[in-house]
Amino acid sequence: MTKPTGAHDRFDASEEPTTTENTAEKKAEKPAMPMNTTENKPSMNNVTSLDPTLQAAGTAKGPKKGSNKSKRHVPGWAIVLAIIAALALIIGGVLMAKKNSGTAANKTPETNVTIGAKLAPTNLDIRNTAGTALDQVLIGNVYESLVGRDSDNNVKPGLAKSWQISDDGKTYTFELHDGMKFSNGDVLNADDVVWSLNESRKEGTHNADVLSAIENVTAPDDNTVVLTLKHPDSDLLWNLSGRAGLVFDVDAEGKYNPKTQAVGSGPFTVQRFIADDSVTLKRNDNYWGKNKAKTEQITIKYFADDNAAVNALKSGDVAVLAPVMPTVKKTFEEDPTHYTTIAGDDTDKYVLAMNNAAGKVTADKRVRQAIRYAIDHNELIAAWGNTDKPLYGPIPSLDPGYEDLSSLYPHDEAKAKQLLKEAGYDAQHPLKITLTYPNTYGPELGDMLRSQLSRVGIDLDVHMVEFSAWLEQVYTNKNYDLSLVDHNESHDIGNWANPDYYFNYNNAEVQKLITDARTNPDEKKSNELLKQAARIISEDAAADWLFNFRATTAMAKGVENFPVNMNQTFMPLADFTYTKQ
């Protein structure tokens, strides 16, 4: 089960409520290395015309023909001086040109760089706290999984360099890399993998349910791990590339506070953590892998206020904003000399959750349908920067089982009014309903939804709250009518098969279809079952999917190798560098 995610500006509902703040972030920052500067040099065109002596030499004339006056000769010493001056100008110009052309190339990358992000983690306990803010900063940087995940959402080698799957899909054999270590110097081997997977299953840590198909985990030797399944699980390998596959140091358990510290095996360590503010990563100089971090220290600074984030990039306080919100991205798009903006593909789903619990006004399907018909998705996307893609169901285009469901609830205000009338609401007795969502998303979406719903006679009361308050009120206590959050986790349609999830959606047919899809070893058949489930969920108007968010990243010139796709869920920074221009 996953919580909504708060990617980007967007929100990650996948974080569970926590009151603990902070983590170890940074020790004293090292001063940035001095940078060379490039000066503009004068042009060397027509150099000789700039020297009065040469001008005089070039224009001196001899006596007129037939004149009785003695010829006036230019003194030898003047000629020598003129030649020396010309050579000096030429040589000097060449040297300055070389200096100018080489300055930028000779600049060295900054050793201490700050990146601006949106959703801040409340603590560092990635095993027990929901929210993709933790996935974004910790996975692949501080903690590593049994297998990895690339920017196209595909599985790749991680702590395991290779694996084999039996023909019946019930046995997975992983071969680990040699010489792996945790940041504290402890050896990482198959025993740590076995303990981590078993501990997660035993304690029911966040996302542990995705390991439910596992029957047994064994380690035949220090470099081999074998998973035996009760039945095939088409998502297992992909799930092992995320939280479920993280490997922890069994010998360090109980020796550090996981809410404020981290002991991982990745290319960075957590030097300093300030809850709801920043995380500072320090290069792990003893990292076991080949892909060592190229930047010594990186601070991820979180901005709830979009204007503050924009000003931070403009002033040079941060080198990257990921994401930059659609309402302000033009600031950087219109200045390509200093900034680069790129919209990356992702699996974020901006979900307008509707509380399906009995007794709630949204338990009435007609009300939910009316809300869906009242929403003009194209208008929302246009106002939001025209970067995102329409999405009318629970599966985004990058996930298995996607189908275009836009025909189910096209914008139709007349239809919305008719459904409300059938449900007992009219101009004299309007539907009054509350929207509660995290303030990290800003007021624009709430304002637009209020405006759109008012056109069909719905009185929407918008409440923006702190993320921690949202986690407690909406996610945990399920005390809400409507809510808005960015579910940016991939392969998360399983949330709709969980009646205890904060959606309070309980449909036995959907639950069976999703279960059958997950246990079907035939990929094509599995995808077809997921399509059927997604269509039913959308037809039920269990929620509205406002759009598939595509995070726009704004970067100062000189940034290299910053991940653009999927960077609200995974933001590997080992290759990232920034050189001031």
Side-chain angles (χ1 to χ4, degrees), residues 13-30:
S14 24
E15 294 220 13
E16 293 187 0
T18 316
T19 55
T20 306
E21 310 177 348
N22 42 71
T23 358
E25 178 184 20
K26 73 188 180 182
K27 303 172 186 176
E29 296 183 356
K30 296 188 178 180

Side-chain angles (χ1 to χ4, degrees), residues 1-3 135 149 172 197 200-202 204-215 227-246 489-495 498 514 518-519:
M1 161 183 115
T2 59
K3 300 186 178 178
D135 301 63
R149 189 183 303 174
Y172 288 64
L197 293 176
S200 181
R201 297 162 60 216
K202 174 186 173 184
T205 57
H206 182 68
N207 273 15
D209 57 314
V210 302
L211 302 176
S212 61
I214 296 177
E215 184 173 45
L227 306 186
T228 304
L229 310 188
K230 305 168 189 173
H231 52 73
D233 183 349
S234 60
D235 280 340
L236 179 63
L237 197 60
W238 185 89
N239 282 321
L240 289 173
S241 70
R243 288 199 194 200
L246 293 180
E489 291 189 344
S490 179
H491 293 233
D492 65 351
I493 190 175
N495 290 334
N498 180 5
I514 292 176
R518 186 174 180 181
T519 57

Side-chain angles (χ1 to χ4, degrees), residues 74-371:
V74 178
W77 59 267
I79 295 174
V80 171
L81 286 177
I83 293 173
I84 292 174
L87 289 174
L89 284 172
I90 293 171
I91 293 172
V94 170
L95 290 175
M96 287 189 292
K98 286 184 176 181
K99 181 180 179 182
N100 277 339
S101 64
T103 299
N106 292 333
K107 285 183 178 180
T108 55
E110 295 290 294
T111 59
N112 187 347
V113 183
T114 300
I115 293 168
K118 186 67 176 176
L119 184 65
T122 55
N123 69 78
L124 295 183
D125 189 1
I126 196 166
R127 283 181 281 187
N128 298 299
T129 303
T132 55
L134 287 177
D135 301 63
Q136 180 188 44
V137 69
L138 295 180
I139 297 180
N141 292 318
V142 177
Y143 293 111
E144 294 180 302
S145 301
L146 186 56
V147 292
R149 189 183 303 174
D150 65 20
S151 61
D152 294 320
N153 207 24
N154 298 315
V155 175
K156 68 175 185 178
L159 295 175
K161 61 183 179 181
S162 63
W163 56 88
Q164 293 181 342
I165 305 173
S166 62
D167 292 339
D168 64 1
K170 294 171 64 175
T171 303
Y172 288 64
T173 303
F174 297 90
E175 183 180 357
L176 306 182
H177 288 279
D178 294 319
M180 296 188 294
K181 291 185 177 182
F182 290 101
S183 59
N184 62 359
D186 288 352
V187 171
L188 190 165
N189 59 26
D191 289 340
D192 296 289
V193 178
V194 172
W195 178 81
S196 297
L197 293 176
N198 284 337
E199 185 74 3
S200 181
R201 297 162 60 216
K202 174 186 173 184
E203 299 298 327
T205 57
H206 182 68
N207 273 15
D209 57 314
V210 302
L211 302 176
S212 61
I214 296 177
E215 184 173 45
N216 195 23
V217 184
T218 59
D221 57 55
D222 284 349
N223 288 337
T224 307
V225 175
V226 178
L227 306 186
T228 304
L229 310 188
K230 305 168 189 173
H231 52 73
D233 183 349
S234 60
D235 280 340
L236 179 63
L237 197 60
W238 185 89
N239 282 321
L240 289 173
S241 70
R243 288 199 194 200
L246 293 180
V247 176
F248 301 91
D249 183 0
V250 60
D251 296 324
E253 190 69 5
K255 297 178 182 179
Y256 68 100
N257 183 351
K259 291 182 179 295
T260 59
Q261 299 171 299
V263 176
S265 60
F268 292 96
T269 61
V270 174
Q271 184 182 39
R272 187 183 181 196
F273 168 67
I274 301 177
D276 298 315
D277 179 82
S278 60
V279 178
T280 298
L281 303 178
K282 183 77 171 178
R283 181 170 59 208
N284 178 6
D285 291 325
N286 296 317
Y287 179 55
W288 64 270
K290 295 180 180 179
N291 194 26
K292 301 184 186 300
K294 294 180 172 58
T295 300
E296 183 175 331
Q297 181 171 293
I298 300 173
T299 297
I300 294 85
K301 171 70 176 176
Y302 299 97
F303 295 91
D305 181 81
D306 295 336
N307 291 326
V310 169
N311 290 335
L313 182 53
K314 282 184 173 181
S315 66
D317 289 343
V318 302
V320 178
L321 282 183
V324 58
M325 293 314 291
T327 51
V328 296
K329 68 177 183 177
K330 276 190 176 181
T331 300
F332 305 108
E333 289 176 336
E334 293 172 352
D335 187 5
T337 301
H338 299 99
Y339 306 101
T340 299
T341 57
I342 304 175
D345 292 326
D346 216 317
T347 58
D348 293 59
K349 303 161 287 295
Y350 262 58
V351 180
L352 182 68
M354 305 185 198
N355 198 333
N356 287 255
K360 289 290 184 179
V361 65
T362 43
D364 189 329
K365 182 177 179 179
R366 294 168 299 184
V367 170
R368 301 196 304 270
Q369 289 176 316
I371 291 172

Side-chain angles (χ1 to χ4, degrees), residues 32-95:
M33 295 181 67
M35 304 300 295
N36 295 327
T37 56
T38 304
E39 300 177 1
N40 294 325
K41 309 299 181 192
S43 170
M44 293 306 299
N45 293 335
N46 302 318
V47 171
T48 54
S49 66
L50 301 178
D51 188 282
T53 305
L54 292 181
Q55 290 178 10
T59 57
K61 297 179 181 179
K64 293 181 181 180
K65 188 176 181 178
S67 170
N68 293 325
K69 295 183 180 181
S70 300
K71 292 183 178 180
R72 299 176 63 184
H73 297 284
V74 178
W77 59 267
I79 295 174
V80 171
L81 286 177
I83 293 173
I84 292 174
L87 289 174
L89 284 172
I90 293 171
I91 293 172
V94 170
L95 290 175

Side-chain angles (χ1 to χ4, degrees), residues 387-400:
T387 299
D388 305 319
K389 297 188 295 186
L391 181 65
Y392 295 87
I395 300 179
S397 59
L398 290 182
D399 277 355

